[in-house]
Short mmCIF file of all heavy atoms in Angstrom, two decimals:
data_model
loop_
_atom_site.label_atom_id
_atom_site.label_comp_id
_atom_site.label_asym_id
_atom_site.label_seq_id
_atom_site.Cartn_x
_atom_site.Cartn_y
_atom_site.Cartn_z
N ARG A 1 -21.55 28.81 1.85
CA ARG A 1 -22.99 28.57 1.64
C ARG A 1 -23.20 27.28 0.85
O ARG A 1 -24.10 26.47 1.17
CB ARG A 1 -23.60 29.78 0.92
CG ARG A 1 -25.03 29.59 0.41
CD ARG A 1 -26.00 29.32 1.54
NE ARG A 1 -27.30 28.92 1.04
CZ ARG A 1 -27.61 27.69 0.66
NH1 ARG A 1 -26.71 26.72 0.74
NH2 ARG A 1 -28.82 27.42 0.22
N LYS A 2 -22.37 27.07 -0.18
CA LYS A 2 -22.47 25.85 -0.98
C LYS A 2 -22.14 24.63 -0.13
O LYS A 2 -22.81 23.60 -0.19
CB LYS A 2 -21.50 25.96 -2.17
CG LYS A 2 -21.67 24.87 -3.20
CD LYS A 2 -20.80 25.13 -4.41
CE LYS A 2 -20.98 24.02 -5.45
NZ LYS A 2 -20.08 24.20 -6.61
N LEU A 3 -21.11 24.75 0.69
CA LEU A 3 -20.68 23.67 1.57
C LEU A 3 -21.76 23.31 2.59
O LEU A 3 -22.03 22.14 2.88
CB LEU A 3 -19.40 24.09 2.28
CG LEU A 3 -18.72 23.10 3.23
CD1 LEU A 3 -18.23 21.88 2.47
CD2 LEU A 3 -17.57 23.78 3.95
N ALA A 4 -22.41 24.35 3.13
CA ALA A 4 -23.39 24.15 4.20
C ALA A 4 -24.61 23.37 3.75
O ALA A 4 -25.32 22.77 4.57
CB ALA A 4 -23.83 25.50 4.76
N ALA A 5 -24.86 23.31 2.44
CA ALA A 5 -26.00 22.54 1.93
C ALA A 5 -25.86 21.05 2.24
O ALA A 5 -26.84 20.30 2.23
CB ALA A 5 -26.15 22.75 0.42
N ASN A 6 -24.63 20.62 2.54
CA ASN A 6 -24.41 19.21 2.88
C ASN A 6 -25.09 18.83 4.19
O ASN A 6 -25.38 17.64 4.43
CB ASN A 6 -22.92 18.91 2.98
CG ASN A 6 -22.27 18.83 1.61
OD1 ASN A 6 -22.57 17.95 0.82
ND2 ASN A 6 -21.40 19.79 1.31
N ILE A 7 -25.35 19.78 5.06
CA ILE A 7 -25.98 19.48 6.36
C ILE A 7 -27.35 18.86 6.13
O ILE A 7 -27.64 17.75 6.60
CB ILE A 7 -26.07 20.74 7.23
CG1 ILE A 7 -24.68 21.33 7.49
CG2 ILE A 7 -26.78 20.42 8.55
CD1 ILE A 7 -24.71 22.73 8.10
N SER A 8 -28.20 19.57 5.39
CA SER A 8 -29.55 19.05 5.15
C SER A 8 -29.49 17.83 4.23
O SER A 8 -30.30 16.90 4.38
CB SER A 8 -30.44 20.13 4.54
OG SER A 8 -29.89 20.64 3.34
N LEU A 9 -28.54 17.80 3.30
CA LEU A 9 -28.41 16.66 2.41
C LEU A 9 -28.25 15.37 3.21
O LEU A 9 -28.97 14.37 2.98
CB LEU A 9 -27.20 16.86 1.49
CG LEU A 9 -26.80 15.65 0.65
CD1 LEU A 9 -27.82 15.39 -0.45
CD2 LEU A 9 -25.41 15.82 0.05
N TYR A 10 -27.33 15.38 4.19
CA TYR A 10 -27.09 14.16 4.96
C TYR A 10 -28.21 13.88 5.97
O TYR A 10 -28.49 12.72 6.28
CB TYR A 10 -25.72 14.22 5.64
CG TYR A 10 -24.60 14.02 4.63
CD1 TYR A 10 -23.68 15.02 4.38
CD2 TYR A 10 -24.51 12.83 3.92
CE1 TYR A 10 -22.67 14.84 3.43
CE2 TYR A 10 -23.52 12.64 2.97
CZ TYR A 10 -22.60 13.65 2.73
OH TYR A 10 -21.62 13.46 1.79
N LEU A 11 -28.88 14.93 6.45
CA LEU A 11 -30.04 14.69 7.31
C LEU A 11 -31.12 13.94 6.54
O LEU A 11 -31.69 12.95 7.03
CB LEU A 11 -30.59 16.01 7.85
CG LEU A 11 -29.78 16.72 8.93
CD1 LEU A 11 -30.52 17.98 9.39
CD2 LEU A 11 -29.51 15.82 10.13
N PHE A 12 -31.42 14.39 5.32
CA PHE A 12 -32.45 13.71 4.54
C PHE A 12 -32.01 12.31 4.12
O PHE A 12 -32.81 11.37 4.13
CB PHE A 12 -32.83 14.56 3.31
CG PHE A 12 -33.72 15.72 3.63
CD1 PHE A 12 -33.26 17.02 3.55
CD2 PHE A 12 -35.03 15.52 4.05
CE1 PHE A 12 -34.08 18.10 3.88
CE2 PHE A 12 -35.87 16.58 4.37
CZ PHE A 12 -35.38 17.88 4.28
N GLU A 13 -30.73 12.18 3.76
CA GLU A 13 -30.19 10.85 3.41
C GLU A 13 -30.29 9.89 4.59
O GLU A 13 -30.48 8.69 4.43
CB GLU A 13 -28.73 10.98 2.98
CG GLU A 13 -28.53 11.52 1.57
CD GLU A 13 -28.95 10.53 0.49
OE1 GLU A 13 -28.81 9.31 0.70
OE2 GLU A 13 -29.46 10.99 -0.55
N SER A 14 -30.17 10.44 5.80
CA SER A 14 -30.17 9.58 6.99
C SER A 14 -31.51 8.89 7.19
O SER A 14 -31.58 7.83 7.84
CB SER A 14 -29.79 10.38 8.23
OG SER A 14 -30.87 11.20 8.68
N ARG A 15 -32.58 9.44 6.65
CA ARG A 15 -33.88 8.76 6.74
C ARG A 15 -33.83 7.42 6.01
O ARG A 15 -34.36 6.42 6.48
CB ARG A 15 -34.98 9.64 6.15
CG ARG A 15 -35.50 10.71 7.08
CD ARG A 15 -36.54 11.51 6.33
NE ARG A 15 -37.27 12.40 7.21
CZ ARG A 15 -38.02 13.41 6.77
NH1 ARG A 15 -38.12 13.63 5.46
NH2 ARG A 15 -38.66 14.19 7.59
N ARG A 16 -33.18 7.44 4.83
CA ARG A 16 -33.04 6.18 4.07
C ARG A 16 -32.11 5.22 4.80
O ARG A 16 -32.37 4.03 4.89
CB ARG A 16 -32.51 6.49 2.65
CG ARG A 16 -33.59 6.95 1.69
CD ARG A 16 -33.11 6.91 0.26
NE ARG A 16 -32.27 8.05 -0.04
CZ ARG A 16 -32.73 9.23 -0.45
NH1 ARG A 16 -34.02 9.41 -0.60
NH2 ARG A 16 -31.91 10.23 -0.70
N PHE A 17 -31.00 5.78 5.31
CA PHE A 17 -30.03 4.97 6.05
C PHE A 17 -30.71 4.30 7.25
O PHE A 17 -30.46 3.13 7.56
CB PHE A 17 -28.87 5.87 6.50
CG PHE A 17 -27.74 5.15 7.17
CD1 PHE A 17 -26.66 4.68 6.44
CD2 PHE A 17 -27.74 4.92 8.54
CE1 PHE A 17 -25.60 4.02 7.05
CE2 PHE A 17 -26.70 4.25 9.17
CZ PHE A 17 -25.63 3.80 8.41
N ALA A 18 -31.60 5.06 7.91
CA ALA A 18 -32.24 4.58 9.14
C ALA A 18 -33.15 3.38 8.90
O ALA A 18 -33.37 2.58 9.81
CB ALA A 18 -33.04 5.71 9.78
N ARG A 19 -33.66 3.23 7.67
CA ARG A 19 -34.55 2.10 7.38
C ARG A 19 -33.82 0.76 7.51
O ARG A 19 -34.44 -0.26 7.77
CB ARG A 19 -35.12 2.24 5.96
CG ARG A 19 -36.12 3.37 5.81
CD ARG A 19 -36.71 3.38 4.41
NE ARG A 19 -37.24 4.71 4.11
CZ ARG A 19 -37.04 5.36 2.96
NH1 ARG A 19 -36.29 4.81 2.01
NH2 ARG A 19 -37.56 6.54 2.77
N ARG A 20 -32.51 0.78 7.32
CA ARG A 20 -31.75 -0.47 7.31
C ARG A 20 -30.78 -0.59 8.49
O ARG A 20 -30.05 -1.57 8.60
CB ARG A 20 -30.91 -0.57 6.02
CG ARG A 20 -31.63 -0.29 4.74
CD ARG A 20 -30.73 -0.45 3.53
NE ARG A 20 -29.58 0.45 3.57
CZ ARG A 20 -29.60 1.71 3.17
NH1 ARG A 20 -30.73 2.25 2.71
NH2 ARG A 20 -28.50 2.46 3.21
N ASN A 21 -30.74 0.45 9.34
CA ASN A 21 -29.71 0.48 10.38
C ASN A 21 -30.29 0.91 11.73
O ASN A 21 -31.37 1.47 11.81
CB ASN A 21 -28.59 1.44 9.97
CG ASN A 21 -27.82 0.95 8.76
OD1 ASN A 21 -26.92 0.13 8.89
ND2 ASN A 21 -28.18 1.45 7.58
N THR A 22 -29.50 0.66 12.77
CA THR A 22 -29.92 1.04 14.12
C THR A 22 -29.88 2.55 14.28
O THR A 22 -29.24 3.28 13.50
CB THR A 22 -28.99 0.42 15.17
OG1 THR A 22 -27.69 1.02 15.04
CG2 THR A 22 -28.90 -1.08 15.02
N LEU A 23 -30.54 3.02 15.32
CA LEU A 23 -30.54 4.46 15.62
C LEU A 23 -29.12 4.96 15.90
O LEU A 23 -28.71 6.01 15.39
CB LEU A 23 -31.47 4.74 16.80
CG LEU A 23 -31.69 6.20 17.19
CD1 LEU A 23 -33.09 6.38 17.76
CD2 LEU A 23 -30.67 6.68 18.21
N LEU A 24 -28.37 4.21 16.70
CA LEU A 24 -27.02 4.66 17.06
C LEU A 24 -26.10 4.68 15.84
O LEU A 24 -25.26 5.58 15.70
CB LEU A 24 -26.45 3.77 18.16
CG LEU A 24 -27.18 3.87 19.51
CD1 LEU A 24 -26.57 2.91 20.52
CD2 LEU A 24 -27.17 5.30 20.05
N ALA A 25 -26.28 3.70 14.93
CA ALA A 25 -25.49 3.69 13.70
C ALA A 25 -25.86 4.88 12.82
O ALA A 25 -24.99 5.50 12.18
CB ALA A 25 -25.71 2.38 12.94
N THR A 26 -27.14 5.22 12.79
CA THR A 26 -27.60 6.36 11.99
C THR A 26 -27.01 7.66 12.53
O THR A 26 -26.53 8.51 11.75
CB THR A 26 -29.14 6.44 12.02
OG1 THR A 26 -29.67 5.22 11.50
CG2 THR A 26 -29.65 7.62 11.20
N ARG A 27 -27.02 7.80 13.84
CA ARG A 27 -26.45 9.00 14.46
C ARG A 27 -24.97 9.16 14.08
O ARG A 27 -24.53 10.24 13.67
CB ARG A 27 -26.61 8.92 15.98
CG ARG A 27 -25.98 10.08 16.74
CD ARG A 27 -26.23 9.94 18.25
NE ARG A 27 -25.55 11.00 18.97
CZ ARG A 27 -24.29 10.92 19.40
NH1 ARG A 27 -23.58 9.82 19.17
NH2 ARG A 27 -23.75 11.93 20.05
N GLN A 28 -24.23 8.07 14.18
CA GLN A 28 -22.79 8.14 13.88
C GLN A 28 -22.56 8.40 12.39
O GLN A 28 -21.64 9.13 12.02
CB GLN A 28 -22.10 6.84 14.30
CG GLN A 28 -20.58 6.96 14.37
CD GLN A 28 -20.12 8.03 15.35
OE1 GLN A 28 -20.59 8.09 16.48
NE2 GLN A 28 -19.23 8.91 14.90
N TRP A 29 -23.40 7.83 11.54
CA TRP A 29 -23.27 8.03 10.09
C TRP A 29 -23.44 9.51 9.73
O TRP A 29 -22.69 10.06 8.91
CB TRP A 29 -24.30 7.18 9.36
CG TRP A 29 -24.20 7.31 7.86
CD1 TRP A 29 -23.36 6.63 7.03
CD2 TRP A 29 -24.97 8.19 7.03
NE1 TRP A 29 -23.55 7.03 5.73
CE2 TRP A 29 -24.53 7.98 5.70
CE3 TRP A 29 -25.98 9.12 7.27
CZ2 TRP A 29 -25.08 8.68 4.61
CZ3 TRP A 29 -26.52 9.82 6.20
CH2 TRP A 29 -26.07 9.60 4.89
N VAL A 30 -24.43 10.18 10.35
CA VAL A 30 -24.64 11.60 10.07
C VAL A 30 -23.43 12.41 10.51
O VAL A 30 -22.92 13.27 9.77
CB VAL A 30 -25.92 12.11 10.78
CG1 VAL A 30 -26.01 13.64 10.70
CG2 VAL A 30 -27.16 11.49 10.14
N ILE A 31 -22.93 12.15 11.72
CA ILE A 31 -21.77 12.88 12.24
C ILE A 31 -20.57 12.69 11.31
O ILE A 31 -19.90 13.66 10.91
CB ILE A 31 -21.44 12.43 13.68
CG1 ILE A 31 -22.56 12.85 14.64
CG2 ILE A 31 -20.09 13.00 14.13
CD1 ILE A 31 -22.46 12.23 16.03
N ASP A 32 -20.28 11.43 10.96
CA ASP A 32 -19.12 11.14 10.13
C ASP A 32 -19.26 11.74 8.73
O ASP A 32 -18.28 12.26 8.17
CB ASP A 32 -18.92 9.62 10.01
CG ASP A 32 -18.50 8.98 11.33
OD1 ASP A 32 -18.08 9.73 12.24
OD2 ASP A 32 -18.62 7.74 11.45
N SER A 33 -20.46 11.69 8.17
CA SER A 33 -20.68 12.19 6.81
C SER A 33 -20.49 13.70 6.74
O SER A 33 -19.85 14.23 5.81
CB SER A 33 -22.09 11.82 6.33
OG SER A 33 -22.26 10.43 6.29
N ILE A 34 -21.04 14.43 7.72
CA ILE A 34 -20.90 15.89 7.72
C ILE A 34 -19.45 16.27 8.01
O ILE A 34 -18.88 17.15 7.34
CB ILE A 34 -21.87 16.54 8.73
CG1 ILE A 34 -23.33 16.31 8.29
CG2 ILE A 34 -21.58 18.03 8.86
CD1 ILE A 34 -24.37 16.79 9.29
N ASN A 35 -18.83 15.61 8.97
CA ASN A 35 -17.44 15.93 9.30
C ASN A 35 -16.48 15.63 8.15
O ASN A 35 -15.39 16.22 8.08
CB ASN A 35 -16.99 15.17 10.55
CG ASN A 35 -17.50 15.81 11.83
OD1 ASN A 35 -17.88 16.97 11.85
ND2 ASN A 35 -17.50 15.04 12.91
N ALA A 36 -16.88 14.73 7.25
CA ALA A 36 -16.03 14.40 6.10
C ALA A 36 -15.99 15.54 5.08
O ALA A 36 -15.12 15.56 4.20
CB ALA A 36 -16.52 13.11 5.44
N CYS A 37 -16.90 16.49 5.21
CA CYS A 37 -16.91 17.67 4.33
C CYS A 37 -15.95 18.70 4.92
O CYS A 37 -16.24 19.27 5.98
CB CYS A 37 -18.31 18.27 4.23
SG CYS A 37 -19.57 17.14 3.64
N GLN A 38 -14.83 18.92 4.25
CA GLN A 38 -13.82 19.83 4.78
C GLN A 38 -14.40 21.23 4.94
O GLN A 38 -14.94 21.80 3.99
CB GLN A 38 -12.60 19.88 3.86
CG GLN A 38 -11.41 20.56 4.50
CD GLN A 38 -10.16 20.40 3.67
OE1 GLN A 38 -10.18 19.77 2.62
NE2 GLN A 38 -9.06 20.99 4.12
N GLY A 39 -14.33 21.77 6.17
CA GLY A 39 -14.92 23.08 6.45
C GLY A 39 -16.18 23.00 7.30
O GLY A 39 -16.66 24.02 7.78
N LEU A 40 -16.70 21.77 7.48
CA LEU A 40 -17.85 21.57 8.36
C LEU A 40 -17.40 20.77 9.58
O LEU A 40 -16.64 19.82 9.45
CB LEU A 40 -18.98 20.81 7.65
CG LEU A 40 -19.66 21.48 6.46
CD1 LEU A 40 -20.78 20.58 5.94
CD2 LEU A 40 -20.20 22.86 6.82
N GLU A 41 -17.90 21.15 10.75
CA GLU A 41 -17.57 20.41 11.97
C GLU A 41 -18.82 20.30 12.84
O GLU A 41 -19.41 21.32 13.25
CB GLU A 41 -16.46 21.11 12.75
CG GLU A 41 -16.03 20.33 13.97
CD GLU A 41 -14.94 21.04 14.76
OE1 GLU A 41 -14.46 22.10 14.34
OE2 GLU A 41 -14.58 20.51 15.84
N VAL A 42 -19.23 19.08 13.11
CA VAL A 42 -20.43 18.83 13.93
C VAL A 42 -20.11 19.13 15.39
O VAL A 42 -19.15 18.62 15.94
CB VAL A 42 -20.91 17.37 13.79
CG1 VAL A 42 -22.08 17.10 14.72
CG2 VAL A 42 -21.30 17.08 12.34
N GLU A 43 -20.92 19.99 16.00
CA GLU A 43 -20.81 20.23 17.45
C GLU A 43 -21.54 19.12 18.20
O GLU A 43 -21.04 18.61 19.19
CB GLU A 43 -21.39 21.60 17.79
CG GLU A 43 -21.22 21.99 19.24
CD GLU A 43 -21.69 23.41 19.50
OE1 GLU A 43 -21.18 24.35 18.85
OE2 GLU A 43 -22.58 23.57 20.34
N TYR A 44 -22.75 18.78 17.72
CA TYR A 44 -23.47 17.62 18.25
C TYR A 44 -24.51 17.19 17.24
O TYR A 44 -24.97 17.99 16.41
CB TYR A 44 -24.14 17.92 19.61
CG TYR A 44 -25.24 18.96 19.54
CD1 TYR A 44 -26.52 18.63 19.08
CD2 TYR A 44 -25.01 20.27 19.93
CE1 TYR A 44 -27.53 19.57 19.00
CE2 TYR A 44 -26.02 21.23 19.85
CZ TYR A 44 -27.27 20.87 19.39
OH TYR A 44 -28.26 21.82 19.30
#
């Protein structure tokens, strides 16, 4: 449950990231950031 909070954390962070980056870069950043949390795996 504690680990899963990272999902929404990176979604909200991605709004800030998106202001300075392309859509495709933002998508990849979210996937990489969540997958970097051991125990979380992005399906899509």
Side-chain angles (χ1 to χ4, degrees):
R1 170 62 190 83
K2 190 174 180 183
L3 182 64
N6 285 295
I7 301 168
S8 58
L9 171 71
Y10 286 117
L11 287 183
F12 283 111
E13 283 290 327
S14 76
R15 279 178 169 165
R16 279 194 281 274
F17 185 92
R19 290 184 202 134
R20 312 181 300 277
N21 293 277
T22 67
L23 184 148
L24 294 178
T26 302
R27 177 178 176 272
Q28 196 59 47
W29 181 84
V30 170
I31 293 169
D32 292 344
S33 299
I34 294 174
N35 281 341
C37 302
Q38 193 171 359
L40 296 182
E41 184 181 356
V42 175
E43 184 174 303
Y44 65 79

